[in-house]
Each structure stands twice: as structure tokens, then as C-alpha cells.
Amino acid sequence: MTFDLPPIPDSERTPLVDALLAIFDALQQRNQFLEEVVLKLRDEIALLKGQKPRPTITPSRLEAPSPKPPPPEGQKRPGSQKRSKKAVFLTPKQEVLPFPSRPAGARSDGYEEYFVQDLVIHGTATLYLRERIVTADGQYLLAPLPDTVPPGSHFGSNLIAHLIYQHRDCNVTQPLLYEQMVDLGIDISTGQIDRILTQNKDAFHQEKEEVRQAGLEVSSYLGVDDTGARHDGHNGYCTAIGNDLFAYFQSTDSKSRLNFLQVLRGNASGYTVSEVALSYFQQQKLAQDTIKQLDAEPRQFADEAAWKARLQELGITSERHIRIATEGALLGQLIAQGLSANLAILSDGAPQFNILVHALCWVHAERPLARMIPFNDKHRTAIEQVREQIWQLYQDLKAYRAQPDAATKAALETRFDTLVGQPTDFPASIGGVLKEMREHKAELLRVLQRPDVPLHNNGMESDIRGYVKVRKISGGTRSEAGRRCRDTFATLRKTCRKLGVSFWAYLRDRVRGLGEVPRLADLIRKKAQESAARQGQAATSPAIGVGAAE
């Protein structure tokens, strides 16, 4: 806790005032020191109780925005111009307001525009009298309902879309939705709200799967992350994958590498022992005799039951051998389905994501230094010096990614080696972080070979933050349908945002079955083609240089 004293004029700074100010400053420093000691003691007590200490994570400066250049002479700063009131999304209707009780002798001098936006929210009810006819052969037929009424539902498409939008995009809980409907005069039960939110959503689930397929098809890299997702009273996990084109969420009971591969595989069920799988077996140091057994025919298996039967037939019973063999067969199946073997996986360092072409996030690599508690002033200075070196190298790597130059690659690698190889007076703290970075040099410098891969994983952490908000508000899911819908609508909502599609317009279109909003998978492919075309133009432009990345 700190206190800011008001300024004291020199005429009032008597020797007594100076002495009191010195005492005050000493007490303030002592108070700050004691606060730090209390925090450390709390962390130690938490550890002794088997609890986790309070995290002290400071914001990373790696992604601090660079200062913008001053505006040209005579021009305003960008963004300071007033936006036109007419630049709105809604098309206004015009209403002429004549002057009431015009004074005698007054004349009209035209009209002045005054723009007003409003929102109409109210419940409506319609009683349709459907004509019933009897055909010549004795069949009874009813007049069809309007397109705004979903088949088999007594609730209109706007109401259904509104409930889904409020629950999935605005995080309004089901009890609050029920209160809202009652306030609007809608005769609906909590069970009906639950069924609207979770039942008969096969079309949305199918589009979610299309998003995954299209995203993997057109992407050169994937950002990945995971978070907790309780289900039916048990701890679970949600794995998130995506990039600038899409986001995909899948909740499961574990967050192992086997689970990650199954998330990438989607609804497919096959296993394939290909050259990619055999290479993975070698990388994971699987026994050579076991590799030879798996290399024999047959190599393709239709489902999990057939694969387990094959492992049992070969006598592979060790838990480790089963796990590695299954991971390799899943990876082989992914490549057989069309996944690129050169797909880059950008992660925060979690080991389950270390497959294919792995890249690491620089923000997470630097974070241990940011939250390190210094022992003394010398330790604090040493930490800041190393962090400053990391920030400078990071900025130069960002510049390289924006405009790759083969001539600077060797220099950047040398600077990295110098950074992580420098001696330190604190090997247990600073030296440990540098050693960890040195061991993951290839993943941290992936940008030198793949400028398309970002240097940080902030994008996926931002995407999954919305999922975390839902978990904090609503807790976990109970039914499998609720769990599946939570993942599906999180995927569709975030993907709509990335593609510039109104999620509200998307829901209304899909609920009514109009098909006026294009399939999200088609938009992903279209946007990827447009991005590739822009990069192709940039590559041939002498102002940017060959191989420039977006």
C-alpha cells in the first residue's frame, strides 16, 4: 500500500517537515517489505497444506504495442475523426415531423436530420387457423405453416434463435432466460428452454465437423490450448484448436496426446500404420521387435475394436507400448485423411501437443522470469537484463517474420545461442529458464523456417477465454447433449466472429433453414484462398520481397 502526499512548497519545507517526510518514506518502504514477506509466508503455508500458492504473473512486454508514428503535418491522429452518424448497420425509415402550432407569418426553412436508433423487444403470439381439406381419395390435408415456424415447434424461429444467442453468446443462464421469457409474456417452461438449447441440434453439430475439416484442410499452422471443463460432476478438459480462420472446441475426459490426436481426427474411426506411424514409433523409442510386428500386414483398421484386437493378437500388452502404438496409428490415420505432415502446431509447451512440426510460444517461455521473485537488488537487475535481451531478440524475430531475409537467419540464431548460453550468477533460477529455452531452440526459432507461424499463442488463449467465462458462470454440464452443444456453439460462435459473420444472423438463418448465410466451411476455404492470393501478390512485389508472410 502506498500513499501519495500533496506537493509541499519550498517555503514550507522546514527541518521538521523534512524529517517527518524521511520517516514517512522509511515507514512506507518498511510496510511494502512486510507486505512482500506476508505474501511469501502465505505461499509457504499454502504449500505446506498441499495447496497451490497465489500466482504472481505480470503482463508480458513481448507483445507491447510499438509507438505509432505522429500524424503528418496538418492531419488529425488516426481514429480521432468523428464517425458519421449515418454510417450505421440499420437502414432508417423516414418520418417527417412538422412544426406544431407554427407562429403567424413563419415559413418553412427545410428539415434538419436527427438520427435515432432503438430496439423493439416484446413477445408475440399467433393463432394459425389451418384449413383442413379432404381429398377425393379420403385423405385429410392441412394448410402448411409459414417458414418462420420451425417444423414441429410451437415456438417461432426468432424466439429459438434468441434463446440460443442469449445462452451461448451472452452467457445468460437458463434460470435467467426463463425469467426473461416470463417478463416478456411468453408461456414456456424451464424444460422447454432446455430442450430448445440442447435437443435436435444435429445440423449444428454437422456444421461444426465441417469447420474442423475445412480448417485442417487449408491451415499451415494450428494454435492449440486446453482448459478445465467439468462434466457430470467430474473434472474434464476442453481442447481448443484454430487460427485466424476458425476455432474448434472439444470436451473430453483427459488431455493426453492420445486425446489430442483423437480431437484432430474428429468423427473418423480408423487407425493406419503408415511410414509416418513407423517414424513416430522410432522417435518414441518403441522396441524394435514391436515395431517389426506392427509393420506387418494388415496396416489399416476400421475402428477401435479392430485395432485393440490387432494389438492383442501381436501380444502387445504393456501400457506404454499400447499408448505409443495407438498414438502412431492415429497420426498415420490423420495423414491418410489428408492432414499435412508439415502442419505446424503452436503451443504453450504442454507435451501432449508436441507432434508434427512443433513450435513454442515465446510469451510462455519468458513468463517464468516475469513472475520470478528476486532475492535482492542484484538478482532483480540480472532478471531484468535477461528479459530485456529476450524482448530485443523477440522484436527482431517479429521483424523477420514480417519480411523474411535469409541473410539474417544465421545472425538471429547466433544471438539466440548467446542469450541462452550466457553465464549467470543465479543458475538455479535464471540459469534454469535459459537452459529450458536452450533445450527447445528448434521450437522457439521455428519462425526462421516457417514465417507463417506466429511467435506467440495469444490467439488461442483469447479464443478459449470465452469458454472459461462460460465455465465460471454456469459451472459444468450434466447431460451429454448439453456438453456437446456447449462445444458446438462455442465453435460456431467464435468461427463466425473470425469470418466476419453475425452470429445472430447465422442463428436466425440456420433455425429457419433459409441457407442465405453461406456454410462456414465454404467461407473458411474462400478466406484462405483470398489470403493465399494476397501473399502471392506480396511475394512478387519488390516493395515487400519474396516470401513475405502476412
Side-chain angles (χ1 to χ4, degrees):
M1 181 182 298
T2 58
F3 300 92
D4 295 327
L5 295 177
I8 301 176
D10 293 339
S11 59
E12 298 180 6
R13 295 181 69 92
T14 63
L16 177 59
V17 171
D18 289 338
L20 292 174
L21 288 176
I23 294 173
F24 177 83
D25 184 61
L27 291 175
Q28 196 170 29
Q29 293 183 18
R30 178 66 177 172
N31 183 55
Q32 183 176 355
F33 170 76
L34 292 176
E35 286 181 350
E36 294 178 358
V37 171
V38 169
L39 290 176
K40 292 179 182 179
L41 291 175
R42 285 181 177 176
D43 290 342
E44 292 181 5
I45 293 173
L47 290 174
L48 291 174
K49 290 182 177 180
Q51 303 172 353
K52 293 183 178 180
R54 185 179 64 89
T56 54
I57 303 176
T58 58
S60 174
R61 286 172 48 190
L62 292 181
E63 276 301 299
S66 56
K68 296 182 179 180
E73 187 71 23
Q75 295 186 14
K76 290 186 176 181
R77 174 180 56 82
S80 62
Q81 295 88 347
K82 295 189 67 175
R83 181 176 63 87
S84 172
K85 294 285 183 66
K86 297 181 180 179
V88 296
F89 297 101
L90 301 174
T91 302
K93 66 176 183 179
Q94 290 189 359
E95 182 176 346
V96 179
L97 299 177
F99 196 93
S101 303
R102 182 183 302 179
R107 62 180 178 83
S108 176
D109 190 30
Y111 294 90
E112 179 178 312
E113 294 182 348
Y114 190 86
F115 189 82
V116 176
Q117 297 181 93
D118 200 357
L119 186 65
V120 178
I121 301 179
H122 62 83
T124 63
T126 305
L127 178 61
Y128 292 103
L129 300 179
R130 305 173 64 185
E131 183 181 6
R132 181 169 56 210
I133 63 173
V134 183
T135 62
D137 57 358
Q139 294 185 9
Y140 288 89
L141 300 177
L142 285 174
L145 290 168
D147 294 337
T148 55
V149 180
S153 175
H154 291 280
F155 300 101
S157 57
N158 285 334
L159 174 60
I160 293 175
H162 173 79
L163 288 174
I164 298 175
Y165 183 85
Q166 289 284 299
H167 186 61
R168 302 299 179 184
D169 193 58
C170 303
N171 301 330
V172 181
T173 61
Q174 292 190 26
L176 292 179
L177 284 176
Y178 174 73
E179 293 181 7
Q180 184 184 110
M181 293 297 101
V182 171
D183 289 341
L184 294 175
I186 302 297
D187 182 12
I188 193 172
S189 68
T190 56
Q192 288 171 322
I193 291 177
D194 181 73
R195 284 190 290 273
I196 288 174
L197 295 175
T198 60
Q199 301 298 321
N200 302 319
K201 297 296 181 287
D202 291 341
F204 290 105
H205 298 321
Q206 175 60 32
E207 188 151 13
K208 175 199 175 188
E209 182 64 16
E210 293 175 7
V211 166
R212 183 196 63 81
Q213 293 174 353
L216 294 182
E217 175 187 322
V218 303
S219 298
S220 63
Y221 83 92
L222 289 180
V224 294
D225 201 0
D226 54 37
T227 187
R230 285 181 63 81
H231 173 67
D232 198 19
H234 301 284
N235 289 332
Y237 303 92
C238 173
T239 301
I241 64 174
N243 48 40
D244 293 338
L245 298 175
F246 79 106
Y248 180 87
F249 301 88
Q250 185 66 39
S251 294
T252 53
D253 296 330
S254 70
K255 59 175 184 177
S256 61
R257 183 174 299 173
L258 192 62
N259 169 74
F260 177 53
L261 292 167
Q262 290 171 337
V263 170
L264 292 178
R265 186 181 60 169
N267 293 335
S269 59
Y271 294 78
T272 301
V273 180
S274 61
E275 294 301 323
V276 173
L278 295 174
S279 176
Y280 181 82
F281 299 154
Q282 296 285 355
Q283 179 185 352
Q284 296 297 316
K285 296 181 173 55
L286 192 63
Q288 293 299 319
D289 292 340
T290 304
I291 295 177
K292 290 180 181 179
Q293 287 179 303
L294 293 169
D295 193 17
E297 294 290 343
R299 291 189 173 189
Q300 293 186 344
F301 307 89
D303 51 29
E304 184 178 3
W307 172 248
K308 288 184 176 180
R310 175 61 172 171
L311 294 177
Q312 188 174 3
E313 175 189 350
L314 297 177
I316 301 177
T317 58
S318 169
E319 181 179 350
R320 175 178 177 273
H321 291 175
I322 292 176
R323 175 179 57 81
I324 294 176
T326 305
E327 290 171 354
L330 281 173
L331 187 58
Q333 176 65 24
L334 283 170
I335 302 301
Q337 291 176 199
L339 187 72
S340 173
N342 294 320
L343 180 69
I345 306 295
L346 174 62
S347 78
D348 57 5
Q352 67 267 24
F353 300 130
N354 187 5
I355 62 171
L356 300 174
V357 182
H358 191 221
L360 283 179
C361 171
W362 273 77
V363 174
H364 284 83
E366 181 260 357
R367 185 168 292 173
L369 291 171
R371 62 187 182 188
M372 193 175 291
I373 300 177
F375 308 142
N376 47 46
D377 290 340
K378 182 180 179 181
H379 190 204
R380 181 181 292 105
T381 301
I383 293 173
E384 289 302 319
Q385 288 177 349
V386 174
R387 293 185 68 193
E388 187 66 31
Q389 294 175 28
I390 293 176
W391 296 330
Q392 292 174 359
L393 178 58
Y394 179 84
Q395 295 301 328
D396 291 339
L397 289 172
K398 283 183 63 177
Y400 174 89
R401 181 173 183 260
Q403 190 169 352
D405 183 5
T408 62
K409 289 175 61 175
L412 290 171
E413 288 189 25
T414 301
R415 287 179 56 189
F416 180 88
D417 293 336
T418 302
L419 168 65
V420 300
Q422 61 182 304
T424 173
D425 294 332
F426 305 94
S429 54
I430 301 176
V433 176
L434 296 179
K435 179 177 179 292
E436 186 74 13
M437 294 179 65
R438 182 166 61 250
E439 292 174 350
H440 295 91
K441 173 183 176 180
E443 291 96 331
L444 288 170
L445 294 183
R446 188 67 65 193
V447 66
L448 298 181
Q449 288 75 37
R450 296 285 300 274
D452 57 304
V453 181
L455 288 164
H456 58 79
N457 201 31
N458 290 353
M460 283 315 300
E461 291 204 334
S462 176
D463 288 348
I464 211 168
R465 190 171 296 126
Y467 200 99
V468 174
K469 290 179 182 178
V470 174
R471 183 187 67 210
K472 290 182 176 180
I473 293 172
S474 300
T477 53
R478 288 294 179 182
S479 67
E480 190 59 37
R483 182 188 203 182
R484 192 179 181 194
C485 284
R486 178 183 61 181
D487 296 341
T488 291
F489 285 104
T491 296
L492 299 176
R493 178 182 65 86
K494 184 59 69 172
T495 301
C496 280
R497 296 284 190 267
K498 296 193 176 197
L499 297 175
V501 176
S502 166
F503 187 53
W504 168 246
Y506 166 83
L507 287 175
R508 293 186 65 193
D509 180 86
R510 295 300 189 265
V511 171
R512 296 182 63 182
L514 299 178
E516 295 177 353
V517 176
R519 306 293 290 183
L520 298 183
D522 295 337
L523 292 176
I524 290 172
R525 294 186 179 94
K526 179 181 178 182
K527 191 171 182 180
Q529 291 174 355
E530 293 173 351
S531 178
R534 289 195 301 269
Q535 290 181 1
Q537 294 175 359
T540 58
S541 172
I544 299 180
V546 176
E550 185 179 359

